[in-house]
Amino acid sequence: TEEIEPEEGKKARASYFACVDFLDEMLGDFLATLEHAGLLETTVIVYVSDHGEMAGEHGLWWKNTWHESSSRVPMIISTPEHRSGKQPAGEVTQPTSLADIFPTLCDIAQVPLPKGLDGISLAPALRGETSADISNRVGVVTENLTPRWGAGTEFRMVRSERFKYIAFRKCDDLAFDLESDPDEQINIAADPKFENALAPLREYILGDFSFDDAVRAKTEQTVDLKNRFPAR
């Protein structure tokens, strides 16, 4: 990706924005169809993405990184009560996770939650209530156990409302104060001023975690899946 010339990068970003515009138009058509069919009155809409796109940010392309442009995605949830005006719109500033979508929809549908889920229900926040589960959360985790950026670059990242901490398999840790440094330019991982704030984040992702064990389990699971479901 370092061989991408500036002009080519501009064209790529323009194409990406065009795709966003096209998707927006498709969603508008889809919602209009639901409304025409009378289905919006009983439909919960969740708009979210599985990852972002660097698109030249920090001189990088693709995804699979811990940067905000890659790991931070929109999550917009609209219920019939929101659209009718019975429930005012609100905003959750604490980080949430894609793992929260399933328990949230189960909660809304009044379906009992299975045990052992990593995610939490955001339904209380949708109703305008204070959620202790959200407030007490240390942060949300993103990880990449494939060394896409070179040997030892597998990482686990935890994002709190203010801080981000990234631990690598064989590289120096990184941390950022996103309140004062939203562009992620100043590494504070070794700054003693932030030790008390960062220590819980470091413990949260590394306390009972081993990169070697995780990569071994991932490899075994991949082999098992290929054996059980061979390509046809």
Side-chain angles (χ1 to χ4, degrees), residues 118 124 168 180 221 227 230 232:
D118 290 327
F168 296 90
S180 62
Q221 290 170 1
N227 290 335
R232 296 178 182 273

Side-chain angles (χ1 to χ4, degrees), residues 38 47 56 67 82 88 90 103 107 120 122 140 143 165 176 214:
Y47 178 87
H67 297 89
H82 287 128
D107 200 346
I120 62 176
L122 305 177
V140 296
E143 64 183 7
Y165 195 96
F176 301 95

Side-chain angles (χ1 to χ4, degrees), residues 143-180:
E143 64 183 7
N144 186 358
L145 301 179
T146 302
R148 294 180 180 273
W149 305 103
T153 59
E154 301 96 321
F155 70 84
R156 294 198 95 205
M157 180 269 283
V158 58
R159 167 76 151 81
S160 68
E161 188 169 3
R162 177 177 174 181
F163 296 101
K164 171 184 289 187
Y165 195 96
I166 310 104
F168 296 90
R169 188 179 189 185
K170 293 183 179 179
C171 299
D172 293 338
D173 291 355
L174 295 173
F176 301 95
D177 181 352
L178 298 175
E179 186 176 277
S180 62

Side-chain angles (χ1 to χ4, degrees), residues 25-206:
E25 183 176 341
M26 292 175 63
L27 289 175
D29 291 343
F30 178 62
L31 294 177
T33 300
L34 289 177
E35 184 176 26
H36 181 72
L39 297 176
L40 273 185
E41 297 177 2
T42 56
T43 298
V44 175
I45 300 169
V46 181
Y47 178 87
V48 72
S49 177
D50 57 340
H51 59 79
E53 167 60 53
M54 295 304 291
E57 298 285 346
H58 297 274
L60 299 173
W61 296 84
W62 311 113
K63 49 183 180 178
N64 303 115
T65 87
W66 39 265
H67 297 89
E68 288 289 277
S69 296
S70 175
S71 61
R72 183 175 183 176
V73 297
M75 182 187 288
I76 302 172
I77 303 177
S78 173
T79 67
E81 290 74 21
H82 287 128
R83 295 189 294 275
S84 68
K86 293 180 180 179
Q87 177 63 48
E91 180 181 11
V92 175
T93 59
Q94 295 97 334
T96 55
S97 168
L98 296 180
D100 298 335
I101 296 176
F102 177 67
T104 299
L105 294 179
C106 286
D107 200 346
I108 293 174
Q110 298 181 344
V111 174
L113 296 181
K115 295 181 180 180
L117 294 179
D118 290 327
I120 62 176
S121 173
L122 305 177
L126 296 178
R127 297 190 292 265
E129 303 169 4
T130 300
S131 171
D133 288 337
I134 298 176
S135 301
N136 296 333
R137 187 183 238 171
V138 175
V140 296
V141 175
T142 295
E143 64 183 7
N144 186 358
L145 301 179
T146 302
R148 294 180 180 273
W149 305 103
T153 59
E154 301 96 321
F155 70 84
R156 294 198 95 205
M157 180 269 283
V158 58
R159 167 76 151 81
S160 68
E161 188 169 3
R162 177 177 174 181
F163 296 101
K164 171 184 289 187
Y165 195 96
I166 310 104
F168 296 90
R169 188 179 189 185
K170 293 183 179 179
C171 299
D172 293 338
D173 291 355
L174 295 173
F176 301 95
D177 181 352
L178 298 175
E179 186 176 277
S180 62
D181 180 29
D183 294 327
E184 302 170 278
Q185 298 292 311
I186 303 171
N187 180 18
I188 61 171
D191 191 330
K193 292 187 301 183
F194 295 98
E195 175 60 26
N196 290 338
L198 298 180
L201 299 180
R202 186 188 304 114
E203 175 64 22
Y204 188 70
I205 54 174
L206 294 179

